[in-house]
Amino acid sequence: MGQHWTDAVFLHWRIPHAVAAAFMPPGVVPDEFDGSAWVGLIGFRMQGAGLGRGPGIPYFGSFNEINVRLYSKEPDGTRGVVFLSLDASRLAVVLTARAAGIPYVWSRDRFRAARLPDPSTGYSVRRFRGGARSDFAVAPEFDVEATDPLSVHLTARFGLHTRFRGRTLYVPNTHTAWPLVRAQVTVLEDQLISAAGITVSGPPESALFSPGVFTQFGRPRTLEDGP
């Protein structure tokens, strides 16, 4: 599957190693930076998802996605993402992904585009039946590139770890480096992280924006279970 991920907002907080470890599938551990594990709240626009570089699937191939995620590492150093939740409005996509072990949630969501005089861009989520909600936006600083080690650590992720039918899988993902800029948080009222079972407080330590990348997923492989 190939797709474009555009208008990406990355917000990240430090969390204790033990908190992240509780969510890791067997065979992987939290991937730390500066002595901490990290939890991310990320929103982006999925556009033109389809097979390879062919045309995207009409309607179902384009939607907003808002996810809560942790960072994982295999014994050989292979790094990945562990998703705690992924909110999207396409029910068919949600049901298909959940059948494959990916924790999608069917929600109403909206992309907030920057419009003068307000430079903020971001996302809003409303889960059905009075569930968790989230509103977050940032003002990108397009003249301040984010190439520091922490920004790279949190975004240069080329696969995901997940649990499916009693096995831990790694699903590879290929894309160029995210073009990143620093961002100032302008809106932040989030319940998705706490709904996933993690508590954070205060503003995020890292706030980034990217116009996007083209990415492709490869064939999953199975990890041997840990002890």
Side-chain angles (χ1 to χ4, degrees), residues 99-145:
I102 309 297
Y104 268 82
V105 180
W106 188 33
S107 306
R108 297 187 185 92
D109 58 61
R110 181 176 63 86
F111 169 63
R112 169 178 174 166
R115 293 184 176 86
L116 293 176
D118 183 359
S120 296
T121 186
Y123 297 86
S124 66
V125 176
R126 301 290 183 272
R127 290 182 177 170
F128 293 107
R129 298 181 180 178
R133 56 193 295 172
S134 184
D135 293 280
F136 60 98
V138 300
E141 299 178 348
F142 289 106
D143 57 343
V144 185
E145 291 187 3

Side-chain angles (χ1 to χ4, degrees), residues 86 92-106 164:
L86 306 94
V93 173
V94 169
L95 294 176
T96 300
R98 289 187 70 89
I102 309 297
Y104 268 82
V105 180
W106 188 33
F164 181 64

